[in-house]
Amino acid sequence: MMRQFELVERVKAYDPNADEEQLNRAYVYAMKMHGSQLRASGDPYFSHPIDVAGILTRYKLDCASIVTALLHDTIEDTDATLDEVRRLFGTEVARLVDGVTKLTRIQISSDNAKQAENFRKLLLAMSEDIRVLLVKLADRLHNMRTLHFIKKEEKRKRIAQETMDIYAPLAERIGMAEIKTELEDLAFRELHGDAKESIEARLTFLREQGGSLVPKIIEELRDTLKANGLDAEVTGREKSPYSIWCKMQRKNVSFEQLSDIMAFRVTVGTLERCYQALGIIHGAYPMVPDRFKDYISTPKRNGYQSIHTAVIGPQRLRIEIQIRTAEMHSVAELGVAAHWSYKQGTPSMEGRQYRWIRELLEILEHTASPEEFLEHTKLEMFADQVFCFTPKGDLIGLPSGATPVDFAYNVHTEVGDRCVSAKVNGRLVPLRTVLRNGDQVEIATSKAQTPSPEWERFVVTGKARAQIRKFVRSQHRDQYLSLGRQLLERTFKEQGYQLTDKGLEGVLKKYRLNAVEDLIVEVGATHLTAKEVMQAVYPGIKMLPKLANALSFGRNRKKTKAEAEPHLRIRGMIPGMAMHFAKCCHPLPGDRIVGIVTTGKGITIHTIDCDQLETFSNEPERWLDLGWDHETVGTAHVGRITVVVSNEPGSLGALTTVIAQNLGNITNLKITNRQQDFFDMLVDVEVQDVRHLTNIIAALRANAAINYVERAKH
């Protein structure tokens, strides 16, 4: 336990103007008020506030913060009152002690209303003075260091989980990297002790095996920089066990597969030299793609600045390097404690590191209840979340990697279903754009819009994914119903019979189905064949081959060349003008269409939802309202589909076979993306109309080799 004079000397060492008399009085008052109270370890209770004050001297906090640390438990655990603290130590200290006392009462609870109210108190206390949070973090850090003295395992785990869920993310949010790392590792030991011991044992083994490797890498990096005229301090840093464990879980890899357990830091004198060092390192060693981040030009919201890069460096090892100035390093390690504004005056909420609290306060003013506030914000302190704003200023909390579609569904299910475009910070962006903290998102909707199955490939929230899947299932059922009825009608007709619902009702029990519609859907999804169903309806029937009708479309197909187009009558066309179909959207009979008049080219026909139409939005005189006069039977048109096929033997054959069986003709096929497990393709198919293409899509979806299929819109 730190003695009274030692604490005063520590504070005076970095703050010669500190109120020595106030520090002494606070030390004695805390000792007197806590009296004979004991901690779980058996130590005198007053040793705890003294150790908390000692932790804060490491971050060179002002005198009022140190006094607050000494007194932070007096109101909660002794007979002291807030009025007495105010009378003895002043208004500023009393306000800070009161704020920390409110934070002390915060605990995770199954009662949502209570938890929401506690979070609200937490925000309000932090907003009044960020030093309240700094004192509480030091308090929690000392409690975690002595957690093993608590006998009840359940209580230890609750405190550790609370630390992991609330206090470590809060420390990260204000840039207190040292406190955050230690809190995480102490909680990690309690929650996943076996995993921590295993990782520490492997780290010890690596240190023993490669003890001379790290110094060699540091020396070579230093020599490389010096040879190019740059003196820099180069150090090596081992990642924490918890950080390593998180990466193993996130990437689903073993410890041995990790290549960046060690990180190296290059510290230079000025900002310009940071970029000079980056150029030297990238010039000397191959850069690892997709591992470069410039947090100097775009700092993190907690004020963190540094350049991160990964290279195949000395000893041909893949290493991670951070480049920063000494001042940036101070901010990275100490966070707000490195440059808080009240060292020059009164506390301010204007700094970047406080802005997130102020923004939440603005939202708090517009929420009807603590529960609503908790639902919309989750405090913006969790590292794996991003928080964005609606145009009205409402805050929406989303998982990391969320997109405008996730945002739209979070606002309201109907907004998500009808989402057509999004603006982020006033700029139109693709719907798959990944949102960042602080983005303002505006969603445009249309009553004609429906969820796109493609959205499921990039949304990350459960609500969005569930809603999209629900719509897709409904859409697929309609398509399967249409396709199944066509298959049954054709099969029955070929055999000289008429399809009736009454006939199908008689075989429902055989297939354990409740309705005729369900049976037809099963046929459309290819879970049953039309031939099977017909033989069930008419037992003993001998099926006759009827190939002529099935092949009639293929034999009589006409090309979509100039000789075929005159047979097509488009309602609204200007007589005598040339006409051709746009290659961007491939309009088909049955689509809603418009024409764009182009001098020297005639009229180009687009689908009403074609993205290219936006190019002509300011030229309404060029638009023609067109429509199909009739669907020309036997005339082929090219429809384009996007397909994701499993990378397995026979998959491409399955694709072509399904299209051929459904009377389509592939005119072009292009692989747009190759992955280990899947191929993305664009396939042009000759069909009669939209309905024909829809049937082909439905049949492809029912095939196990096809992972995804949709009509291409671009």
Side-chain angles (χ1 to χ4, degrees):
M1 183 175 66
M2 192 186 312
R3 296 183 182 180
Q4 185 174 338
F5 75 90
E6 291 175 326
L7 177 63
V8 174
E9 285 179 355
R10 281 199 192 184
V11 178
K12 296 284 281 186
Y14 63 81
D15 184 8
N17 298 320
D19 190 338
E20 183 176 345
E21 192 270 335
Q22 188 183 46
L23 287 168
N24 284 322
R25 281 191 293 110
Y27 189 102
V28 173
Y29 183 80
M31 186 178 294
K32 174 185 174 183
M33 296 308 297
H34 288 295
S36 59
Q37 292 177 347
L38 298 176
R39 288 174 60 78
S41 62
D43 294 331
Y45 191 91
F46 61 79
S47 65
H48 166 65
I50 292 169
D51 286 337
V52 172
I55 291 172
L56 294 180
T57 61
R58 159 75 177 82
Y59 297 95
K60 301 180 180 180
L61 265 72
D62 64 332
C63 183
S65 300
I66 304 302
V67 171
T68 300
L70 292 169
L71 305 177
H72 76 274
D73 276 338
T74 53
I75 297 177
E76 184 77 16
D77 297 326
T78 74
D79 295 332
T81 64
L82 185 60
D83 289 338
E84 185 178 20
V85 171
R86 185 179 293 108
R87 177 173 56 82
L88 294 174
F89 301 99
T91 303
E92 181 183 19
V93 170
R95 177 169 50 80
L96 292 173
V97 171
D98 185 42
V100 177
T101 301
K102 288 178 180 177
L103 294 192
T104 303
R105 295 173 183 150
I106 293 178
Q107 292 182 351
I108 294 293
S109 168
S110 58
D111 183 344
N112 290 334
K114 180 181 177 183
Q115 183 185 19
E117 178 62 26
N118 282 337
F119 275 132
R120 189 181 70 86
K121 289 179 181 178
L122 168 65
L123 175 65
L124 292 173
M126 289 189 301
S127 68
E128 291 175 4
D129 199 314
I130 198 68
R131 290 175 294 181
V132 168
L133 178 56
L134 296 174
V135 174
K136 185 57 190 175
L137 288 175
D139 172 42
R140 177 51 61 114
L141 179 57
H142 185 257
N143 282 333
M144 288 301 296
R145 287 174 177 175
T146 57
L147 183 66
H148 57 282
F149 289 112
I150 296 178
K151 294 181 179 179
K152 291 184 178 180
E153 180 182 0
E154 182 182 347
K155 184 176 181 180
R156 291 198 310 271
K157 289 193 179 297
R158 178 185 62 77
I159 294 173
Q161 191 63 55
E162 183 179 270
T163 299
M164 195 72 85
D165 290 343
I166 295 180
Y167 294 103
L170 275 173
E172 191 276 337
R173 173 58 66 192
I174 61 173
M176 306 292 285
E178 286 185 345
I179 289 182
K180 174 222 174 197
T181 300
E182 187 173 356
L183 285 174
E184 285 178 339
D185 275 359
L186 289 168
F188 183 41
R189 173 183 284 120
E190 183 60 44
L191 297 172
H192 305 282
D194 292 343
K196 180 175 173 63
E197 288 179 8
S198 174
I199 292 173
E200 287 178 336
R202 296 182 188 188
L203 287 173
T204 301
F205 176 77
L206 282 182
R207 292 189 208 108
E208 294 172 352
Q209 295 294 314
S212 61
L213 196 59
V214 172
K216 286 180 181 178
I217 294 174
I218 291 174
E219 183 178 0
E220 184 173 331
L221 286 174
R222 189 185 295 118
D223 291 344
T224 300
L225 293 167
K226 192 171 184 179
N228 287 273
L230 184 63
D231 287 325
E233 179 185 352
V234 183
T235 57
R237 176 183 61 85
E238 190 179 83
K239 289 193 173 182
S240 70
Y242 178 68
S243 176
I244 293 171
W245 183 77
C246 285
K247 194 161 191 177
M248 290 167 60
Q249 298 296 311
R250 186 172 63 252
K251 295 194 171 184
N252 194 26
V253 296
S254 65
F255 182 90
E256 289 73 19
Q257 291 174 284
L258 296 178
S259 58
D260 53 356
I261 292 171
M262 287 293 298
F264 295 86
R265 182 178 301 121
V266 175
T267 307
V268 295
T270 64
L271 184 148
E272 292 78 11
R273 290 181 179 177
C274 289
Y275 291 99
Q276 183 184 351
L278 177 67
I280 293 170
I281 291 170
H282 280 184
Y285 307 106
M287 174 190 171
V288 178
D290 302 324
R291 293 300 303 273
F292 173 76
K293 293 179 181 177
D294 185 353
Y295 293 120
I296 292 180
S297 62
T298 53
K300 290 185 179 182
R301 285 169 62 82
N302 59 15
Y304 175 88
Q305 288 184 290
S306 187
I307 295 173
H308 292 194
T309 188
V311 297
I312 308 299
Q315 312 295 316
R316 301 300 299 168
L317 293 175
R318 175 172 160 171
I319 59 173
E320 186 179 286
I321 299 175
Q322 299 171 355
I323 306 170
R324 61 181 68 154
T325 65
E327 183 180 355
M328 292 173 189
H329 179 62
S330 176
V331 173
E333 295 301 306
L334 307 180
V336 298
H339 52 60
W340 48 38
S341 55
Y342 57 75
K343 283 187 175 180
Q344 289 78 37
T346 56
S348 168
M349 293 295 290
E350 295 304 315
R352 183 189 294 111
Q353 64 271 26
Y354 307 122
R355 194 168 299 146
W356 61 282
I357 304 177
R358 189 181 67 248
E359 290 168 348
L360 289 183
L361 277 177
E362 293 171 359
I363 303 308
L364 185 59
E365 296 174 0
H366 301 287
T367 53
S369 66
E371 294 95 320
E372 183 183 345
F373 170 67
L374 178 62
E375 177 186 353
H376 285 287
T377 66
K378 297 299 183 183
L379 274 183
E380 199 185 49
M381 68 182 182
F382 297 102
D384 60 345
Q385 287 194 323
V386 293
F387 292 80
C388 303
F389 294 88
T390 67
K392 293 183 178 180
D394 295 328
L395 188 67
I396 303 295
L398 298 164
S400 179
T403 65
V405 176
D406 294 293
F407 182 94
Y409 275 108
N410 195 288
V411 172
H412 196 279
T413 299
E414 188 172 345
V415 175
D417 287 344
R418 301 189 183 283
C419 170
V420 292
S421 66
K423 286 184 179 180
V424 175
N425 301 324
R427 191 162 156 255
L428 199 64
V429 300
L431 290 178
R432 62 172 62 246
T433 301
V434 175
L435 299 176
R436 302 173 63 183
N437 265 323
D439 282 345
Q440 185 183 67
V441 184
E442 181 180 353
I443 302 295
T445 60
S446 169
K447 290 182 178 180
Q449 176 70 344
T450 57
S452 168
E454 188 178 353
W455 292 354
E456 192 183 342
R457 302 177 70 184
F458 56 78
V459 297
V460 298
T461 58
K463 180 178 180 180
R465 183 169 282 115
Q467 190 64 24
I468 294 166
R469 285 178 177 173
K470 178 183 176 182
F471 175 81
V472 170
R473 282 196 301 270
S474 172
Q475 186 184 50
H476 286 183
R477 180 178 173 85
D478 291 343
Q479 292 176 348
Y480 292 153
L481 184 62
S482 174
L483 177 62
R485 187 170 289 279
Q486 287 185 52
L487 292 172
L488 286 168
E489 286 176 347
R490 188 172 68 190
T491 301
F492 274 64
K493 186 176 180 181
E494 287 174 350
Q495 302 301 321
Y497 293 87
Q498 183 178 2
L499 175 69
T500 63
D501 285 358
K502 185 175 181 181
L504 296 179
E505 286 175 0
V507 298
L508 290 178
K509 287 185 179 180
K510 177 179 179 179
Y511 296 110
R512 299 180 180 179
L513 296 171
N514 297 320
V516 170
E517 195 173 274
D518 294 336
L519 178 60
I520 297 173
V521 168
E522 289 293 297
V523 174
T526 69
H527 298 152
L528 294 173
T529 67
K531 180 180 177 181
E532 283 181 83
V533 174
M534 184 166 187
Q535 289 176 328
V537 174
Y538 299 104
I541 186 176
K542 292 183 178 180
M543 302 293 289
L544 300 175
K546 292 279 185 176
L547 297 179
N549 291 337
L551 298 176
S552 62
F553 171 71
R555 288 201 307 267
N556 298 327
R557 186 179 66 249
K558 300 175 185 177
K559 300 297 182 181
T560 56
K561 304 297 182 183
E563 68 267 20
E565 291 184 352
H567 298 288
L568 289 171
R569 294 200 296 272
I570 304 293
R571 191 172 61 252
M573 281 288 297
I574 300 174
M577 286 202 71
M579 172 191 75
H580 61 275
F581 297 103
K583 301 299 183 183
C584 48
C585 53
H586 295 277
L588 298 172
D591 283 325
R592 291 180 59 199
I593 54 176
V594 295
I596 300 296
V597 180
T598 304
T599 303
K601 291 185 178 180
I603 298 174
T604 304
I605 299 175
H606 295 260
T607 60
I608 194 69
D609 59 349
C610 179
D611 290 345
Q612 292 298 318
L613 292 178
E614 188 173 345
T615 308
F616 310 103
S617 59
N618 296 324
E619 300 174 272
E621 68 278 3
R622 296 178 60 183
W623 291 56
L624 290 178
D625 185 17
L626 304 179
W628 301 96
D629 195 47
H630 69 288
E631 297 180 7
T632 308
V633 179
T635 300
H637 299 263
V638 175
R640 176 168 289 178
I641 57 176
T642 302
V643 185
V644 179
V645 181
S646 301
N647 185 12
E648 297 174 355
S651 293
L652 188 58
L655 170 70
T656 57
T657 299
V658 170
I659 292 176
Q661 287 177 341
N662 287 272
L663 311 180
N665 180 51
I666 297 176
T667 61
N668 190 34
L669 186 150
K670 180 181 179 181
I671 298 176
T672 58
N673 185 29
R674 300 171 187 266
Q675 301 177 19
Q676 183 175 353
D677 299 319
F678 301 101
F679 281 1
D680 294 3
M681 299 179 181
L682 281 177
V683 183
D684 290 345
V685 185
E686 283 185 345
V687 293
Q688 288 179 300
D689 50 29
V690 169
R691 186 177 182 183
H692 187 186
L693 183 64
T694 300
N695 290 340
I696 290 175
I697 291 173
L700 288 171
R701 284 176 176 155
N703 192 286
I706 311 301
N707 182 264
Y708 168 86
V709 60
E710 193 61 50
R711 184 178 178 185
K713 293 293 185 181
H714 307 290

